[in-house]
Amino acid sequence: MRPSILRRLLRRVAPTAALALVAAMLGATGAAPPAAAAGGLQQVTGFGANPGNLQMYEYAPASLPANAPLVVALHGCTQTANDYYTNSGWPKYADLWGFAVVFPQTTAANNALSCFGWFDPAEDGRGRGEAASIVQMVEYAKQQYGSDGRRVYVTGLSAGGGMTADLLAAYPDVFAGGSVASGLPAQCATSQAGASGCQTGPQKLTPAQWGDKVRAAHPGYAGPWPRVAIWQGSADYTVYPANATALRDQWTDVWGIGQTPSATDSLPGSTTRSVYDDASGNPAVVTYSVSGMGHGLAVSPGSGAEQCGTTAAYFLNAICSTYHTGVFWGLDRDVPGGGEQLPAPSGLRVTDVSADRVSLSWDAVAGADSYAVRRDGAEVAATSGTTYTDTGLTAGTAYRYSVTALDGSGTPGTASPQVTATTTGGTPARCFTATNYAQVAAGRAHTTGGQVYANGSDQDMGLYNVFVTHTLRESPAGHFVIADAGCAA
């Protein structure tokens, strides 16, 4: 290909996967063919007017009951629906937990690299283009499967993650939750020229300014807002980690909560989870920072309950992000069924803590056959009584618990409000006051585009120089948050 032609093509292509453009051009002589239905993945035609010229693929387990959840999963640039179906792990949990998955697909007919148009106002706004096509797929699937319209979720990688954020902003009345993996904040760019700047470092906006972009996408909408998970690799040099910080700022502001996490903890794959609770004490926004991971979706091949996916281009071996996203949304416990749902257990309280255990108790629920106890969103026990002691814990660590009553058929009711228990002992939190330059030199922060970000939380600390000073609080080890207002060690 002549250089002049390549330069013209580069100007036409959205740059979310620009680093892969030359390889894509050298490796193919024409547009990639549409994904073929593989195994249980089936193509659907005639799902609507389809103003965005997308293709619809779907997967549903056998004997899917009515009123089950519905998940929409958006691939990244240079990928297909079949790539996402094969490698992401979503079919595993669709079978395990009982829900249908829609896999929208864009092609080179829309974008030379098959990127969703997260940067294009004609494609990513309410009632427009690709966004409207995706919502038409949702409506079609709801009718086809009898899905519960209150439990529709959307997730995506890279350009699919950028479109996910735009869909959550434009259609908060359609999606109850979202998960953005290595993606961009909603309405970060409104042109192809602006997309590159978003990838390497979005605008330095306040949380309120980021939140205003969401509120402007569906004027007059007052809630409820989707619950949002944000996945980001710390070594992602295609969509820089600053985007995760902007996403966190954007959606915490929309929820009306602060940017200081309610709790942080460590997960497998060198992953730090930070939870931001709503006014009721339930997680509204959760960030997952995967240390050392580049650009892609985190997977963890294997047969374990918390393992999923297959490693491939942009599917990186670290942790099963699909499992943790599904737990955050409640897919593991939202079992559909008829009858009246049991109420949430009241009076959940911590009765005792030690270095390696936490004891809980709660009030009985009439009609309950048993109770499911969850720690940090994952079920850890089922008990017929109203007390439980969780053992084998890490000293000096905060854990979050909730309890759900189950009826005689095992159908869960409403989860209780969460309580937090911190085990005794362990390494106490440490505080460090220094210039931005010194914080980076000491390994407590890193730089991107001349800005400094705290390791772990990715909070924006300002310019990389010796004139700006911050106090950082470390807890757990390797996770730092800005604590200029006071740092209780």
Side-chain angles (χ1 to χ4, degrees):
M1 178 177 290
R2 296 199 306 273
S4 60
I5 297 175
L6 181 58
R7 283 196 296 271
R8 288 199 298 272
L9 186 55
L10 279 167
R11 287 195 294 268
R12 292 175 53 232
V13 175
T16 302
L19 294 180
L21 177 57
V22 175
M25 291 297 100
L26 293 177
T29 57
L41 185 66
Q42 302 294 327
Q43 185 171 9
V44 175
T45 58
F47 58 84
N50 193 17
N53 190 34
L54 299 181
Q55 297 171 358
M56 176 180 177
Y57 291 83
E58 64 181 12
Y59 174 76
S63 303
L64 181 71
N67 296 316
L70 177 67
V71 172
V72 178
L74 303 174
H75 64 77
C77 295
T78 74
Q79 295 178 333
T80 64
N82 187 50
D83 292 333
Y84 222 67
Y85 166 83
T86 301
N87 299 309
S88 67
W90 279 109
K92 171 178 177 173
Y93 294 105
D95 289 340
L96 184 64
W97 295 334
F99 57 86
V101 189
V102 169
F103 294 90
Q105 178 173 285
T106 188
T107 68
N110 284 12
N111 177 277
L113 288 177
S114 298
C115 304
F116 288 102
W118 60 271
F119 51 85
D120 187 347
E123 302 293 348
D124 66 3
R126 188 175 178 91
R128 300 175 190 167
E130 293 178 353
S133 289
I134 292 168
V135 171
Q136 287 176 2
M137 295 180 197
V138 169
E139 293 305 315
Y140 182 95
K142 284 165 58 179
Q143 293 297 318
Q144 180 183 12
Y145 296 117
S147 303
D148 185 349
R150 299 166 301 174
R151 295 184 295 165
V152 179
Y153 307 90
V154 60
T155 181
L157 166 65
S158 191
M163 181 60 83
T164 292
D166 288 340
L167 285 165
L168 294 172
Y171 293 97
D173 51 336
V174 172
F175 299 103
S179 179
V180 181
S182 300
L184 301 302
Q187 297 301 317
C188 184
T190 56
S191 69
Q192 292 184 1
S196 269
C198 285
Q199 289 174 232
T200 57
Q203 303 174 62
K204 307 305 177 185
L205 302 181
T206 65
Q209 289 171 322
W210 280 119
D212 285 344
K213 289 180 176 290
V214 172
R215 288 181 282 269
H218 186 14
Y221 183 78
W225 295 103
R227 298 184 182 273
V228 182
I230 301 160
W231 288 87
Q232 181 70 47
S234 68
D236 188 341
Y237 302 115
T238 300
V239 176
Y240 279 41
N243 285 282
T245 302
L247 276 160
R248 185 275 315 273
D249 290 352
Q250 183 172 67
W251 289 99
T252 52
D253 180 77
V254 168
W255 273 88
I257 55 182
Q259 286 72 56
T260 299
S262 307
T264 60
D265 60 354
S266 297
L267 298 177
S270 300
T271 303
T272 299
R273 173 173 54 189
S274 299
V275 180
Y276 302 81
D277 286 343
D278 64 14
S280 299
N282 295 311
V285 178
V286 181
T287 64
Y288 302 83
S289 177
V290 186
S291 179
M293 191 181 81
H295 186 63
L297 182 74
V299 298
S300 178
S303 58
E306 299 183 16
Q307 291 181 293
C308 72
T310 304
T311 55
Y314 307 113
F315 294 95
L316 307 179
N317 191 1
I319 181 176
C320 176
S321 58
T322 296
Y323 168 81
H324 290 279
T325 294
V327 169
F328 168 59
W329 289 340
L331 297 180
D332 63 325
R333 62 181 183 272
D334 286 342
V335 179
E340 186 175 347
Q341 191 176 48
L342 292 174
S346 61
L348 177 61
R349 51 202 174 271
V350 178
T351 57
D352 189 38
V353 294
S354 67
D356 64 350
R357 67 184 59 206
V358 169
S359 295
L360 306 166
S361 68
W362 56 90
D363 299 335
V365 172
D369 184 75
S370 60
Y371 301 89
V373 181
R374 289 180 173 79
R375 180 211 312 136
D376 295 330
E379 185 171 334
V380 293
T383 176
S384 59
T386 57
T387 62
Y388 175 70
T389 297
D390 195 16
T391 60
L393 304 177
T394 302
T397 303
Y399 296 96
R400 299 153 56 83
Y401 293 91
S402 65
V403 177
T404 304
L406 285 72
D407 63 20
S409 65
T411 301
T414 304
S416 71
Q418 294 186 332
V419 297
T420 299
T422 302
T423 51
T424 59
T427 302
R430 298 186 297 168
C431 301
F432 306 88
T433 301
T435 67
N436 279 357
Y437 178 86
Q439 299 281 24
V440 172
R444 296 186 287 267
H446 59 277
T447 62
T448 298
Q451 294 286 118
V452 177
Y453 299 91
N455 287 348
S457 70
D458 285 327
Q459 288 180 311
D460 190 343
M461 298 169 59
L463 293 173
Y464 179 45
N465 59 34
V466 297
F467 304 108
V468 179
T469 297
H470 284 293
T471 297
L472 295 181
R473 184 177 188 271
E474 182 183 22
S475 181
H479 184 90
F480 298 88
V481 295
I482 298 173
D484 294 339
C487 187

